[in-house]
Amino acid sequence: MQAFTRISSLFRTPGAFGGVCGLDYGGVRDGLEMSGVTITPELWAQIQCVEAGAIEAVMRKLQ
C-alpha cells in the first residue's frame, strides 16, 4: 500500500468522459525508482491488484 500511495496520482484518464483507464506504467516505474522502491514481481502484482480495485471503485461511483 505504501508503494501504491507514492504513485496513486499516475492514473490515466480517458478525457472528458471521466473514469480511469489504469496507471501510467512508465510513470509508475519512474516514480517508484525515484522513491527508492525496488520493484519486484511480487510488488508489481500487488500494485496491479490495488489498481484493479481502484478502477472498479471509480467505475462503480460513475454508474
Side-chain angles (χ1 to χ4, degrees):
M1 236 7 237
Q2 291 174 343
F4 184 79
T5 59
R6 293 181 183 183
I7 47 90
S8 63
S9 65
L10 297 173
F11 273 94
R12 291 180 179 248
T13 59
F17 301 108
V20 293
C21 296
L23 288 168
D24 174 351
Y25 287 171
V28 167
R29 182 191 61 238
D30 293 344
L32 291 176
E33 287 177 358
M34 287 188 293
S35 297
V37 175
T38 301
I39 305 168
T40 63
E42 294 80 17
L43 175 61
W44 185 244
Q46 292 171 351
I47 288 171
Q48 287 183 307
C49 284
V50 176
E51 173 191 27
I55 291 170
E56 184 179 322
V58 168
M59 298 310 286
R60 252 194 326 252
K61 189 174 182 178
L62 292 175
Q63 293 178 344

